Amino acid sequence: MPEQARSKDVNPLRRKLAERWEWLIAVKADDQEQARLGRLFNILMMISTGVVVALSSVFLLMQPLGLLGPKVSWVAAAFPLAFIPLSLFCLVRSRRGSVLPMVRLYVWINLIAISIAIWLFDGVYSPGWMLYIWTISTAGILLAPVYALWMTAGVLGYFLLLWLLSRFGFYTPLFTFSPGREFLDIAML
């Protein structure tokens, strides 16, 4: 008997959470395909917000653990934290029907920000290279596969450029994660 009472208590809560979730990812759309695309993008924006909070937390926790200096820790945490307003802005605008412009905005800003973060932090050896997977996948799925191909080619070109510049002594990253490299590599997986 107590199990039935408990299940009756959980169902209204579960139903209310499901209704809130549906409200959060809903899109004002002209057609069914745009509504589907908008819902997918809005789900990705919710995931993105969670990911950037987790990444910022990792970077901020590395300082008290003695794995990073305060300057490196705060600069590293600033990059993901800057994406919280971007993700929320894209979510709100997408809900209002501006799906494709928000997908393009998010993808290109993400691509540029990751490139800057890699240039600042460890260059060719940066753990940030893995973050391109998110951006390229989002572009390939929500925009068109050709976006993913061109972005992949751009990322490869960028890698080769940084590798050549560092190999010939024209580039040195401003910051390094060397003392906390193992902790960061584990956290990024």
Side-chain angles (χ1 to χ4, degrees):
M1 191 71 149
E3 289 179 34
Q4 289 176 345
R6 220 177 318 145
S7 67
K8 287 181 181 179
D9 293 338
V10 172
N11 286 336
L13 176 61
R14 193 176 287 167
R15 188 173 35 256
K16 188 169 182 130
L17 288 174
E19 288 170 2
R20 287 293 184 188
W21 177 255
E22 288 301 319
W23 173 83
L24 186 62
I25 64 170
V27 176
K28 292 180 184 174
D30 298 332
D31 61 11
Q32 193 173 7
E33 180 59 24
Q34 186 182 9
R36 185 190 69 78
L37 183 69
R39 287 173 52 85
L40 286 173
F41 181 64
N42 290 345
I43 291 169
L44 288 175
M45 289 303 93
M46 296 303 297
I47 293 169
S48 171
T49 303
V51 167
V52 296
V53 167
L55 278 176
S56 293
S57 300
V58 167
F59 290 133
L60 292 174
L61 286 173
M62 289 177 79
Q63 180 189 357
L65 293 173
L67 299 172
L68 285 181
K71 183 178 180 182
V72 175
S73 178
W74 283 102
V75 172
F79 276 93
L81 285 176
F83 275 87
I84 293 173
L86 175 67
S87 296
L88 295 176
F89 173 76
C90 288
L91 174 74
V92 169
R93 295 295 300 156
S94 174
R95 283 178 43 83
R96 294 181 182 164
S98 300
V99 177
L100 286 178
M102 290 302 103
V103 174
R104 285 188 198 103
L105 175 73
Y106 178 79
V107 164
W108 288 108
I109 288 178
N110 206 6
L111 189 76
I112 292 166
I114 293 170
S115 299
I116 293 169
I118 287 172
W119 181 76
L120 287 173
F121 294 96
D122 286 343
V124 175
Y125 303 105
S126 176
W129 291 100
M130 291 182 287
L131 297 175
Y132 279 125
I133 295 169
W134 173 266
T135 303
I136 292 170
S137 299
T138 301
I141 293 168
L142 298 181
L143 293 174
V146 72
Y147 273 86
L149 292 173
W150 282 108
M151 286 181 161
T152 303
V155 168
L156 179 61
Y158 183 57
F159 177 84
L160 292 174
L161 175 69
L162 285 182
W163 181 76
L164 287 171
L165 290 174
S166 61
R167 178 135 168 106
F168 293 113
F170 295 115
Y171 163 73
T172 304
L174 296 175
F175 302 108
T176 183
F177 290 117
S178 52
R181 163 81 48 212
E182 295 81 16
F183 182 75
L184 188 60
D185 286 340
I186 290 170
M188 294 290 284
L189 295 177

